[in-house]
Amino acid sequence: MEPLNAIKGVLFDLDGVLYIGGKPVEGAVDAVDRIRNAGLPCRFVTNTSTLSLTSLQAKLASLGFAVDTGEIISATQAARLYLMRQSDPVCRFLLAEDVMQDFADFRQSDTDAEFIVIGDIGDAWSYRLLNEVFNCLMRGAKLIAIHKNRYWQTEHGLQMDIGAFITGLEYASGVQTTLMGKPSADFFAMALISMGVAACDAVLIGDDIDADIAGAQQAGLHGVLVQTGKYRQAYCDASSIQPDRIIPSIREFPVLLGL
């Protein structure tokens, strides 16, 4: 396997790359340790919007990954930073309960929101809720999506993600979403600035050819696709996106970096 040369920083996607559900991918802990021991700065980047920053760190630790909160770049963290740059915004948050603690200091309203922030809320979706958000958008609210993923891999198979709901709200209201997570170039820039590494010297390893690989490449990074998690060969074969490398799993990643 021809190694990627001169990599100075690594971005790891989480779900589907390091773990699936509550189980680490085989060899993932060792792979991360080998890369850290080589002195490469690492950031752990995720569109996951069901866990707060504290809970994400705790989950990684429980699976054997020693990660500081400062090394985690989450889409919900990006959304919080975005809202903090606004002028005391009134918000409606459609977010998992655990994540809501990261947004407790913002003013909130279900009917008069200036910003509607949407993440993963599982079975809470209903026509009534979608219509409430639609009417708020028609009154001038702005739409913020933590991410726009199509689906994700669970221990029980693929699960539809929030991208379809976001797209439906855009279509009905004519409002364009402000996207916080991958594949947003601003999201990748946050991670690169945090590491002090130029885009051309960094690589992202992910299982989503659209959000991970295309997003990374458009931001100037290398993109390595793993055949774990949500990876599906037929979908990737039909895609125009060409990863810099495709490997079976993160276990092979250190070798790809020449380690």
Side-chain angles (χ1 to χ4, degrees), residues 138-198:
M138 295 299 287
R139 291 194 294 270
K142 294 177 177 148
L143 183 60
I144 296 175
I146 301 299
H147 62 81
K148 206 175 177 182
N149 292 357
R150 296 181 178 184
Y151 52 82
W152 60 296
Q153 180 71 36
T154 73
E155 294 166 304
H156 308 292
L158 291 180
Q159 180 169 306
M160 180 177 163
D161 219 324
I162 63 173
F165 297 107
I166 300 296
T167 301
L169 288 166
E170 287 178 319
Y171 175 75
S173 68
V175 172
Q176 187 65 36
T177 303
T178 298
L179 186 62
M180 292 292 111
K182 299 170 291 180
S184 166
D186 290 339
F187 180 81
F188 287 105
M190 282 179 58
L192 293 169
I193 291 169
S194 173
M195 290 193 298
V197 173

Side-chain angles (χ1 to χ4, degrees), residues 21 40 45 62 69 74 86 89 100 109 119 144 165-166 173 178-179:
L40 290 173
V45 297
S62 73
T69 54
S74 72
Q86 311 306 313
M100 283 299 298
S109 171
I144 296 175
F165 297 107
I166 300 296
S173 68
T178 298
L179 186 62

Side-chain angles (χ1 to χ4, degrees), residues 10 12 35 203 205 224 247 249-257:
V10 178
F12 294 96
I35 290 165
V203 59
I205 177 168
V224 173
I247 56 177
S249 80
I250 191 174
R251 192 155 82 175
E252 291 74 27
F253 192 46
V255 175
L256 186 59
L257 298 182

Side-chain angles (χ1 to χ4, degrees), residues 123-139:
D123 295 337
W125 285 110
S126 67
Y127 175 78
R128 178 178 178 178
L129 178 57
L130 284 166
N131 204 46
E132 286 177 5
V133 173
F134 162 72
N135 277 286
C136 202
L137 294 174
M138 295 299 287
R139 291 194 294 270

Side-chain angles (χ1 to χ4, degrees), residues 48-70:
T48 298
S49 62
T50 56
L51 297 174
S52 66
L53 197 60
T54 300
S55 296
L56 271 172
Q57 183 193 33
K59 177 170 185 174
L60 286 165
S62 73
L63 297 176
F65 302 98
V67 177
D68 294 332
T69 54

